[in-house]
Amino acid sequence: MSYICIILGAILQGVAMAVFLFPHNIPSGGAAGLAILINYWLQLPLGLSLWIVNFAFLVLALKYFGYTWTFRTMFSVTITSVTVSLITSNLNSGGLSSFWLDLLSGGILFGIGVGLLIRNGASSGGMVIPALMIANYKGTSPGRAMLWLNFFIFLLTATVIELPIVIYAIICQSISTNIIDFIYHLKLPYTYSPTLGWRKK
């Protein structure tokens, strides 16, 4: 059941990114923002910069959350990447409807997808990994930790990319992280319980 929820969450995340957010050039999280900064500061290709960011976070995940959690995260990232690739190759750019409706839909779907991943012992990679580490250490919700991390990174990227895009990204993150926290705290039977017990397994 956990892997079914992980697949569903990863697909929803991919749909949110490919259908609603990427057509409007809205970054889905802070990992993309860090990649943009590395690309600007070190003149590395954007793809390589994104790989470096995600690889560093996966190393952290392996150390703090163990092999099973890291494998599930890599599995979910793969499903999301395949979903994004399939959709973007068959969908005309520009979004489906109005900008603000796409932003709202993307934020909600992204939050549901990531929330399902976290509830079932995985993550979407990127900034979710340090956000979960902070949430476990501080005893706070992962959505709140993720929001503040991404908010800080997006402010940094405002020195490199257009300010309106940063503002839209922050609005999207505000929506999605509230959905993440709602799903994280939702009392449901037969779901994975994300606790400190994940650590160092």
Side-chain angles (χ1 to χ4, degrees), residues 1-2 12 20 26 37 44 62 90 94 137 196:
M1 185 64 181
S2 291
L12 288 176
F20 298 107
I26 301 173
L37 290 171
L44 294 177
L62 186 61
N90 293 284
Y137 181 74
L196 289 173

Side-chain angles (χ1 to χ4, degrees), residues 18-193:
V19 176
F20 298 107
L21 302 180
F22 287 175
H24 300 288
N25 297 316
I26 301 173
S28 58
L34 285 177
I36 291 172
L37 290 171
I38 292 173
N39 167 258
Y40 180 79
W41 289 334
L42 303 179
Q43 303 299 310
L44 294 177
L46 192 57
L48 176 60
S49 301
L50 188 59
W51 183 87
I52 290 172
V53 171
N54 280 304
F55 179 78
F57 287 144
L58 283 174
V59 170
L60 285 176
L62 186 61
K63 179 179 179 181
Y64 284 91
F65 298 124
Y67 289 98
T68 300
W69 190 91
T70 304
F71 172 78
R72 291 184 178 189
T73 294
M74 293 174 66
F75 177 71
S76 71
V77 169
T78 301
I79 297 295
T80 298
S81 298
V82 170
T83 302
V84 170
S85 297
L86 289 175
I87 292 175
T88 52
S89 62
N90 293 284
L91 182 70
N92 294 326
S93 60
L96 293 183
S97 55
S98 69
F99 170 81
W100 291 107
L101 188 57
D102 281 351
L103 180 65
L104 178 63
S105 301
I108 292 173
L109 272 184
F110 189 84
I112 294 173
V114 176
L116 283 173
L117 294 176
I118 293 175
R119 281 299 296 254
N120 289 276
S123 85
S124 59
M127 296 308 298
V128 178
I129 293 172
L132 286 171
M133 292 168 59
I134 293 172
N136 280 343
Y137 181 74
K138 294 290 187 180
T140 185
S141 63
R144 181 176 299 179
M146 184 176 165
L147 177 62
W148 283 108
L149 280 173
N150 285 331
F151 179 76
F152 176 72
I153 292 170
F154 286 143
L155 286 181
L156 285 178
T157 56
T159 62
V160 193
I161 63 177
E162 296 179 1
L163 183 60
I165 294 178
V166 174
I167 294 173
Y168 300 147
I170 291 173
I171 293 172
C172 178
Q173 286 296 307
S174 299
I175 296 169
S176 63
T177 50
N178 277 287
I179 300 293
I180 291 169
D181 279 346
F182 173 77
I183 295 176
Y184 179 80
H185 293 293
L186 194 62
K187 302 297 183 183
L188 292 174
Y190 311 116
T191 57
Y192 184 93
S193 178

